[in-house]
Amino acid sequence: MTQRVAFQQYRDLLYTYFWPQRRQVAVLVVLILLDNGLQLLGPNLLGQFVDSAINSDDSSLLQRLGVYYLVVMICRQVARLFATYMGETIGWRASNALRFDLAQHTMALDMSYHKQQNPGIMIERIDGDVTSLNRFFSQMVLQIGGSVLLLVSTVGVLFAQNWQLGVMMLAFIVVAATILYLLRNVAVPYWEGGREASAQLFGFLEERLAGMEDIRGLGSRGHTMARFDQLMKRKNHFDVLGRVYGGVTWIVPVGLAAVLSILILGIGTHLYLTNQIGIGLIVMTLLYGEMVVWPIRTIAQEIDQLQQATAGIVRVAEIMAIKSRLVDGTHQMPAQAPSVVFDNITFAYPDEEADKHPVLRNVSFTIPPQKVVGLLGRTGSGKSTLIRLLFRLYDVNAGEIRFDQHPIREFTLASLRQHVGLVTQDVQLFYATVRDNLTFFNKDISDDRLYDALRTLGLQRWLEQQPEGLDTLLMANGAVSAGEAQLIALARVYLKQPHVVILDEASARIDPETEKLVERALDTVLAGKTAIIIAHRLQTVRRCDYIAILGDGQLVEYGAEAALRSDEHSRYATLLRTGSVEEELA
Amino acid sequence: MTIQPTITTPNQMLWQMLRKGGWWYVINLATIVFVLLIELLPGFINRAVLNDLQGNSLTSIPWLLLGALVGITAMRMMLFVLLTYTNPKTRIASENAMRRSLLGRIFQQPAVAALKGSPGEIVSRFRDDIGELPHTVLHLNDIIALSLFAVVAFYTMYQIAPSATLVIMLPLVFIVAAARFTYDRIYVYRQERRRATGRVVGFIAETFGAIQAVQVAGTERHVLRHFAELNKVREVATLREVLFDGLLSSLFRNAVDIGIAVMMLMLHQQAIGGEFRAGDVAFFVYSLGAISELLGELGVFIGRQQQLRVSVQRLETIGHGLPAAKLFDEKPFPAFKELPPLQTLAIRDLSVHWKNDQYGVRNISLDLAPGRLVVVTGVVGAGKTTLLRGILGMLPRVTGDISWNNSRIDDPDLQLVPPAVAYTSQVPRLFSDTVEDNITQGRQLSNVELDAAIHGAVFEYDVAQFEHGVATLVGSRGVRLSGGQIQRAAFARMLYERPQVWLIDDVSSALDIVTEQLLWQRFGEIRSQVACLIVTHRPQVMAMADEIIVLKDGQVQARGSYADLIARGQLTH
């Protein structure tokens, strides 16, 4: 279950996300050095104070030591505060960069990946896992570095005062560090399980919240609550185990600290009784002992965090290792409406068994430039799949799709998708403003163009009803009727001005009256474009120049619309007459 | 940004969480107190050894005292193990109760208006706000235990050097008092940070919920830029909070260092008088270290109290004003209220409103009875879906009556649900389960019933093609299925209910003509005992209808039979 994270993985991560911030990191290192130095000075001053108080009557020296101490400590707090701030800044920049990279990477993955996810799980993958890495970025590395430094200097100072005490401290640190190193992976499996359980729980929750209306309509609220309960219990289980096993890494240092102070007291007493050191040095060493506990505890706590982070790294690496099945092309699509050629294509979805029927078999037909083809066929006959292939959401298994003479694999995905526009039946709206919903967050589109698009699609009146116009926040679920959503989707394509337009049941949820309006708008949208229209309503299909009919993954009929209509034996003509349901299904 | 009031005060919230923690909480508190009191002992032992050394009354290594220290350490470690177990146990009790109750609360709202924010954003409240609240209780235990430690330490210090002890405490008192002025700021910073986080999380959910649309639109670049902007806002809000918290806690910790410096300045006078003892200095420093920790924790705790108000306010918002304190009284989900066999379902003068009036429906009356089929039709935005949702209580009803066999329906949310009424929404959602789980929704009838539902929805051909038949996973929101398959799965899900009334919102829009005709043909055969209200534009369904209602701008424009309306030119076909 636990993959060991190679040192190299940490290193790569650090290099990628810290190198751009090397200046800030340098400042942070200086601040940490300063903090350490000042921290070491404190007990030293106190030790001197004790010895001076016992051995001399120089009152002004004692007073001076008090004032020094005060100044040192205030400076130290300031250094510390800036170090914290700096560490967090670096950490947040790094983790946000990672969030961005993850989002970019996953967004580019093909649908065979996304089919298996739900939005809640993506929240955990892109935000949750990275948040657990946040401390790794912001503090861990620097804290561990700073702590090691502090330990080394402590040993150095002690050696300068008395070699026996120095040896003792060094031996202690080596033993403690070894023990902590051995314990570092104890809780990882539980943290990892916990993160997975958490992703399941919140993924479930997101999906059910989004489907509230259905759950309510089906009366399955009780059932949903019970499933929610089960998932919570699973998370709880890992929470407890993770905490208990994770606890080892801070309980052990507490024990080690106590052992150290016992050692100091014992050895210190012996050295004093044999007249090798003064009481001031024992006090100082005891204080150092207290101080050494902190970095060791820090290291231990960071190891505790490191375990959580490791779980995060494993999951991040997992995602980053998933490669899109699609190889990006290199060419830009030419800026003109091309002919669309389906040349003998065969396709089966990647996760389906090989011996099953392919969804599409040996489909061939050509749409001349600027012509409109109507694609017909029963549900499940492969129409939507054909469209997905055109966008390269998947690649064909055999055959080739070409725009003019260029196979679509040659184009960059970005350019391909920029020049092909799609309107589907189910329109995805964002919980964002009307503007962002129309432009998909593209800030280069002017408001005038938006007004123009809305006017063309007859959405003017609808816009007037929106309290804040283009800035009105659209609820993703509810306030926009399904028909209006389809008009918004048409407006999106109108704004995009692609060369190839695909309408997949784009007006299915629109009433006949509004549809007339849309038909007029389509004249504008489709002018000079090559287009594919999937529609079940025959009125919509009448505008097509050609008709293609798919049946069970194969092309069963293709020809000019007018010709097929007048040929009374054609399937198309039969469909136009309808009423032939039984015959069609036989 | 202003401070929004919460119904539940932080103290009430604390009390509830403490109560919910029950015995785990008590054990946790007792353990921490015990641990910290034991932790005082090394201070006393160190002091005794050092003072004895200085007074030359110690001539050999004090083995007995060192042995005692070893014993104390062993004990502390065992208690710590107990803490790691009671900690999550205390927390989980509250977390679960809050999550469960809040989901229940949201489920009891009119479904369409139930979510105050995007689902992803609400998930962030379930995850972060609820996840963090119970930590406050554990923190409270730390404070209590540290305070006890401080009292004992303070008493001892006072015995050793009364005036120095009092002077040391002065800056501490002052700083704690001054911290009060920072409350509002802590609150505001926290609120902004949470809000920014919610937006990031919500955006991730929406983007990946619509990933195919994003890819097809080729708009990844713009979406990512928007994501980066949201990230930046969150970063700024977080850093501001971190800096402020750091400033606060360093103020607190600094107070102790000032105390130590004051002690040095005051003790040097005792030293001149010949009363100076090294062990006392060590003890002072040891105790002040712990008191420093207490103050630091206190600063954090004060901050948490403010942050707790933010979380409480956020939970009360999505809980539609349910006081957060009530989230701990767990009630089972209210039971379905059974209705007698249907004779008539009468809807009279029903008006339903969205936020702005244009989207409502006004004064709609209609009658349903077993075997009767009523169709609602009209242009986009006419209020067809709103009418169905209004009847079901998914939107607040403004005026009008719904009666079942002449008795008034007061609580549609618990009455007009399966097994009395089943509903299929216009854009049905499937969940990432198997086909079977999506249809049965946890209600196991026989396979015969399942097959019948699938057949009724003209879905049997597709299911047979699926790799694992009804056990096939449909993917998130049914993404593995085609649009038409999703609609028919949802239709099968509705048929499986076998209710007395069906409310169907435009369910066949993604179906090809042949499939659609067959669907309605089969439906015609099984609907004979069931009352149906269907939103559709399809002539075939209208032809079956006993009555057709044409809506326009939320009002009835025309009603009558199909032939009648065609004759009057009220239908465009």
Side-chain angles (χ1 to χ4, degrees):
Chain A
M1 163 166 172
T2 315
Q3 215 170 312
R4 282 186 92 78
V5 177
F7 172 70
Q8 198 189 345
Q9 246 166 335
Y10 288 115
R11 202 193 57 197
D12 289 350
L13 211 58
L14 289 177
Y15 180 77
T16 314
Y17 296 102
F18 278 2
W19 184 245
Q21 305 190 66
R22 53 194 175 280
R23 225 171 269 151
Q24 287 90 329
V25 172
V27 172
L28 181 59
V29 169
V30 170
L31 285 171
I32 288 176
L33 285 175
L34 194 65
D35 177 35
N36 278 344
L38 293 171
Q39 201 181 347
L40 280 174
L41 214 52
N44 206 310
L45 290 171
L46 266 169
Q48 282 184 42
F49 178 85
V50 169
D51 278 343
S52 314
I54 293 173
N55 302 324
S56 86
D57 283 343
D58 185 354
S59 144
S60 70
L61 172 68
L62 293 179
Q63 231 159 4
R64 267 207 314 279
L65 285 171
V67 173
Y68 289 163
Y69 185 86
L70 188 62
V71 173
V72 164
M73 282 306 155
I74 290 176
C75 290
R76 185 182 161 225
Q77 289 296 340
V78 174
R80 223 188 142 79
L81 181 61
F82 278 107
T84 310
Y85 182 70
M86 208 47 143
E88 288 279 344
T89 308
I90 294 168
W92 272 92
R93 287 208 184 131
S95 64
N96 270 343
L98 178 59
R99 282 189 188 89
F100 185 88
D101 289 350
L102 268 175
Q104 191 170 33
H105 176 78
T106 43
M107 246 185 233
L109 290 177
D110 63 309
M111 289 308 291
S112 56
Y113 173 77
H114 290 294
K115 271 179 151 188
Q116 295 162 27
Q117 312 300 323
N118 68 44
I121 288 182
M122 292 313 290
I123 292 178
E124 285 301 295
R125 288 255 161 178
I126 292 179
D127 189 47
D129 289 342
V130 176
T131 302
S132 76
L133 269 174
N134 220 6
R135 276 185 55 84
F136 174 74
F137 281 125
S138 66
Q139 297 180 8
M140 206 171 303
V141 177
L142 299 152
Q143 290 260 15
I144 290 183
S147 300
V148 169
L149 205 70
L150 187 67
L151 293 179
V152 171
S153 0
T154 310
V155 172
V157 171
L158 275 179
F159 260 108
Q161 301 272 354
N162 175 286
W163 68 268
Q164 287 103 323
L165 286 175
V167 168
M168 176 210 68
M169 190 63 92
L170 184 62
F172 173 79
I173 289 172
V174 169
V175 171
T178 310
I179 293 174
L180 292 176
Y181 181 76
L182 293 175
L183 288 176
R184 80 197 180 287
N185 276 332
V186 174
V188 172
Y190 306 104
W191 288 120
E192 219 177 281
R195 292 223 57 79
E196 181 62 35
S198 171
Q200 293 285 343
L201 174 68
F202 294 115
F204 175 85
L205 182 64
E206 199 274 345
E207 213 183 36
R208 304 300 142 141
L209 287 175
M212 279 276 297
E213 196 178 343
D214 296 75
I215 289 177
R216 158 67 177 72
L218 294 162
S220 55
R221 287 176 290 195
H223 173 61
T224 307
M225 296 291 287
R227 292 265 311 267
F228 187 63
D229 242 23
Q230 275 174 10
L231 290 169
M232 268 197 310
K233 292 230 166 65
R234 212 173 98 79
K235 179 176 178 317
N236 294 344
H237 170 75
F238 283 108
D239 279 352
V240 173
L241 283 178
R243 195 81 192 82
V244 170
Y245 281 91
V248 173
T249 49
W250 61 271
I251 294 174
V252 170
V254 170
L256 291 171
V259 169
L260 179 62
S261 71
I262 295 168
L263 280 174
I264 294 171
L265 214 55
I267 295 175
T269 309
H270 172 75
L271 292 174
Y272 180 79
L273 292 175
T274 52
N275 285 323
Q276 300 184 53
I277 58 170
I279 291 183
L281 189 56
I282 302 181
V283 172
M284 185 186 97
T285 314
L286 274 173
L287 289 176
Y288 275 173
E290 285 279 309
M291 240 170 58
V292 167
V293 176
W294 289 113
I296 292 180
R297 245 194 212 170
T298 304
I299 293 174
Q301 271 173 359
E302 295 306 331
I303 285 175
D304 190 47
Q305 297 290 336
L306 193 65
Q307 306 201 11
Q308 291 191 45
T310 301
I313 290 176
V314 170
R315 288 169 55 89
V316 166
E318 241 170 57
I319 283 203
M320 287 306 217
I322 299 172
K323 292 277 174 283
S324 182
R325 292 167 195 253
L326 305 171
V327 182
D328 205 357
T330 50
H331 291 61
Q332 295 296 312
M333 236 180 97
Q336 67 195 39
S339 65
V340 177
V341 183
F342 293 93
D343 185 359
N344 202 19
I345 58 170
T346 295
F347 175 74
Y349 281 103
D351 47 350
E352 260 145 51
E353 282 169 25
D355 56 340
K356 285 271 173 188
H357 286 327
V359 187
L360 292 170
R361 275 167 300 157
N362 309 101
V363 174
S364 292
F365 65 98
T366 301
I367 312 167
Q370 307 197 7
K371 295 294 179 195
V372 178
V373 68
L375 190 57
L376 307 179
R378 292 195 49 185
T379 45
S381 61
K383 302 186 300 289
S384 295
T385 304
L386 197 70
I387 301 308
R388 287 178 187 147
L389 295 177
L390 200 56
F391 277 97
R392 289 196 69 204
L393 292 176
Y394 303 91
D395 272 336
V396 292
N397 299 112
E400 197 169 66
I401 301 176
R402 291 190 295 271
F403 285 166
D404 293 332
Q405 68 278 24
H406 310 288
I408 57 170
R409 284 177 205 247
E410 285 181 3
F411 301 125
T412 64
L413 286 169
S415 131
L416 177 73
R417 290 170 184 173
Q418 185 55 43
H419 289 102
V420 185
L422 171 70
V423 181
T424 54
Q425 173 172 232
D426 288 315
V427 180
Q428 305 276 8
L429 293 179
F430 286 82
Y431 192 87
T433 61
V434 172
R435 179 183 293 103
D436 287 341
N437 267 297
L438 284 170
T439 63
F440 267 120
F441 306 96
N442 182 351
K443 293 182 175 57
D444 304 331
I445 298 177
S446 73
D447 284 3
D448 287 342
R449 286 189 59 201
L450 297 184
Y451 289 127
D452 173 46
L454 291 173
R455 206 167 26 242
T456 309
L457 287 152
L459 278 167
Q460 212 167 6
R461 188 165 154 246
W462 173 80
L463 183 70
E464 281 160 14
Q465 288 166 357
Q466 303 305 313
E468 287 164 66
L470 290 175
D471 292 316
T472 310
L473 202 61
L474 285 188
M475 309 296 206
N477 185 12
V480 179
S481 81
E484 285 159 352
Q486 288 194 319
L487 293 175
I488 290 176
L490 282 168
R492 283 175 178 167
V493 166
Y494 179 78
L495 285 166
K496 190 168 149 183
Q497 300 286 359
H499 301 301
V500 178
V501 175
I502 295 154
L503 305 177
D504 185 356
E505 286 294 330
S507 56
R509 295 191 204 281
I510 298 175
D511 60 281
E513 195 170 315
T514 310
E515 198 177 4
K516 283 185 186 148
L517 183 78
V518 173
E519 288 288 325
R520 277 198 296 280
L522 283 183
D523 292 338
T524 323
V525 173
L526 296 180
K529 314 268 185 339
T530 310
I532 299 177
I533 297 179
I534 299 179
H536 298 135
R537 252 179 274 178
L538 297 167
Q539 299 95 305
T540 318
V541 178
R542 290 240 167 86
R543 70 158 57 243
C544 300
D545 304 303
Y546 296 87
I547 295 293
I549 299 181
L550 284 179
D552 198 20
Q554 284 177 306
L555 185 72
V556 293
E557 190 165 289
Y558 186 71
E561 200 267 349
L564 290 177
R565 185 163 14 139
S566 52
D567 173 5
E568 65 178 67
H569 299 297
S570 74
R571 286 170 191 254
Y572 179 60
T574 315
L575 271 177
L576 285 180
R577 289 196 301 275
T578 54
S580 56
V581 177
E582 293 79 9
E583 182 193 336
E584 187 66 26
L585 285 171
Chain B
M1 195 170 298
T2 53
I3 293 183
Q4 291 157 358
T6 55
I7 307 167
T8 307
T9 63
N11 287 340
Q12 286 171 335
M13 199 67 192
L14 265 180
W15 167 245
Q16 289 297 332
M17 289 190 288
L18 191 147
R19 205 173 51 87
K20 199 74 203 177
W23 283 109
W24 291 117
Y25 171 78
V26 175
I27 298 171
N28 191 272
L29 177 61
T31 315
I32 297 188
V33 168
F34 202 46
V35 163
L36 275 168
L37 290 181
I38 291 179
E39 222 158 273
L40 262 175
L41 295 177
F44 285 118
I45 292 176
N46 289 356
R47 173 175 171 234
V49 172
L50 288 171
N51 282 347
D52 286 356
L53 279 180
Q54 190 185 354
N56 293 325
S57 56
L58 199 65
T59 51
S60 69
I61 296 175
W63 292 112
L64 196 65
L65 285 178
L66 295 184
L69 280 175
V70 172
I72 290 166
T73 305
M75 198 154 181
R76 273 170 69 200
M77 290 178 71
M78 284 190 306
L79 290 172
F80 275 135
V81 174
L82 192 58
L83 274 183
T84 59
Y85 191 71
T86 55
N87 244 309
K89 283 285 184 188
T90 310
R91 219 159 23 91
I92 283 168
S94 295
E95 266 179 33
N96 289 359
M98 284 191 279
R99 289 193 174 125
R100 212 176 282 134
S101 309
L102 194 58
L103 184 60
R105 172 74 177 178
I106 291 175
F107 271 161
Q108 283 173 58
Q109 301 304 311
V112 177
L115 299 189
K116 300 244 174 174
S118 73
E121 212 272 348
I122 290 175
V123 166
S124 90
R125 299 186 191 208
F126 268 87
R127 188 188 70 178
D128 301 337
D129 290 302
I130 292 182
E132 246 174 54
L133 278 171
H135 285 280
T136 325
V137 176
L138 299 173
H139 207 160
L140 181 68
N141 285 356
D142 292 349
I143 302 270
I144 294 174
L146 278 166
S147 304
L148 279 172
F149 180 100
V151 168
V152 178
F154 183 74
Y155 177 77
T156 315
M157 286 159 70
Y158 188 78
Q159 295 293 318
I160 297 168
S163 52
T165 305
L166 288 177
V167 174
I168 288 169
M169 287 301 156
L170 268 180
L172 305 188
V173 174
F174 174 74
I175 283 187
V176 171
R180 178 124 187 69
F181 295 103
T182 62
Y183 287 6
D184 289 359
R185 216 159 252 251
I186 295 173
Y187 178 91
V188 169
Y189 288 168
R190 168 49 58 109
Q191 198 178 37
E192 282 175 2
R193 178 179 179 182
R194 277 267 175 275
R195 190 166 296 178
T197 304
R199 289 181 65 194
V200 169
V201 170
F203 191 69
I204 294 175
E206 301 222 357
T207 304
F208 286 96
I211 184 67
Q212 187 164 332
V214 169
Q215 289 192 345
V216 160
T219 186
E220 292 95 330
R221 197 163 48 94
H222 303 297
V223 169
L224 277 169
R225 193 166 66 180
H226 189 72
F227 182 60
E229 280 165 16
L230 293 179
N231 271 340
K232 189 73 201 170
V233 171
R234 179 194 197 182
E235 184 182 310
V236 170
T238 304
L239 288 178
R240 204 165 48 176
E241 193 187 43
V242 165
L243 183 63
F244 192 73
D245 281 0
L247 195 66
L248 211 61
S249 84
S250 88
L251 263 182
F252 277 98
R253 292 191 196 281
N254 228 341
V256 167
D257 285 320
I258 295 171
I260 292 179
V262 169
M263 174 202 77
M264 289 165 80
L265 293 173
M266 296 205 49
L267 282 187
H268 93 269
Q269 282 168 344
Q270 290 196 8
I272 293 164
E275 295 168 34
F276 177 87
R277 302 212 293 175
D280 295 346
V281 173
F283 184 80
F284 265 58
V285 176
Y286 184 84
S287 308
L288 283 171
I291 291 174
S292 148
E293 198 182 331
L294 167 67
L295 286 174
E297 294 293 320
L298 209 56
V300 177
F301 187 72
I302 290 168
R304 266 187 194 241
Q305 289 278 89
Q306 302 308 310
Q307 292 161 354
L308 183 142
R309 283 170 56 205
V310 175
S311 289
V312 166
Q313 188 256 322
R314 285 166 56 85
L315 295 180
E316 288 178 348
T317 307
I318 60 166
H320 295 260
L322 179 77
K326 292 259 189 281
L327 290 175
F328 299 86
D329 312 325
E330 290 184 72
K331 287 185 216 109
F333 199 81
F336 161 73
K337 295 184 191 160
E338 207 168 331
L339 291 167
L342 179 71
Q343 288 155 4
T344 57
L345 178 61
I347 290 144
R348 290 288 169 268
D349 293 323
L350 185 74
S351 293
V352 182
H353 283 236
W354 271 101
K355 267 178 256 159
N356 41 5
D357 290 346
Q358 290 94 331
Y359 282 80
V361 292
R362 281 184 292 281
N363 303 324
I364 310 284
S365 298
L366 60 94
D367 289 291
L368 291 171
R372 185 175 157 84
L373 172 75
V374 176
V375 160
V376 177
T377 190
V379 299
V380 165
K384 306 178 294 291
T385 300
T386 305
L387 173 63
L388 257 54
R389 287 169 168 174
I391 293 171
L392 289 167
M394 291 184 181
L395 279 170
R397 189 195 314 170
V398 181
T399 54
D401 280 325
I402 298 174
S403 41
W404 183 284
N405 300 352
N406 297 321
S407 65
R408 200 181 132 95
I409 296 283
D410 294 313
D411 198 355
D413 199 45
L414 295 177
Q415 293 173 299
L416 300 183
V417 289
V421 178
Y423 165 66
T424 290
S425 65
Q426 191 176 13
V427 184
R429 295 264 190 183
L430 299 185
F431 302 113
S432 36
D433 285 326
T434 62
V435 173
E436 180 174 357
D437 286 344
N438 267 294
I439 293 176
T440 62
Q441 290 291 303
R443 238 178 330 271
Q444 293 303 332
L445 306 178
S446 69
N447 280 343
V448 178
E449 315 267 347
L450 180 63
D451 290 343
I454 291 174
H455 181 264
V458 199
F459 196 35
E460 72 280 13
Y461 174 77
D462 304 72
V463 170
Q465 289 289 309
F466 290 154
E467 189 183 340
H468 302 293
V470 289
T472 304
L473 289 166
V474 302
S476 164
R477 296 182 185 174
V479 71
R480 290 178 181 217
L481 308 185
S482 76
Q485 287 171 335
I486 291 176
Q487 284 191 335
R488 280 172 296 144
F491 200 71
R493 183 166 78 171
M494 185 196 71
L495 295 179
Y496 189 76
E497 302 287 348
R498 309 197 158 264
Q500 307 192 57
V501 182
W502 272 320
L503 265 57
I504 303 171
D505 195 352
D506 200 14
V507 77
S508 60
S509 62
L511 306 184
D512 61 284
I513 284 191
V514 176
T515 308
E516 188 184 12
Q517 287 186 351
L518 190 60
L519 180 106
W520 290 120
Q521 185 189 325
R522 287 184 185 169
F523 182 74
E525 288 158 13
I526 49 180
R527 73 175 181 89
S528 58
Q529 296 306 311
V530 185
C532 299
L533 182 59
I534 302 179
V535 171
T536 187
H537 305 301
R538 302 303 154 110
Q540 188 191 358
V541 186
M542 293 191 192
M544 286 197 283
D546 296 290
E547 185 182 25
I548 298 169
I549 298 175
V550 183
L551 287 185
K552 188 173 187 191
D553 290 336
Q555 284 173 307
V556 177
Q557 189 189 26
R559 60 199 305 165
S561 70
Y562 183 54
D564 181 28
L565 290 175
I566 291 279
R568 281 157 53 196
Q570 294 287 355
L571 288 174
T572 3
H573 279 293

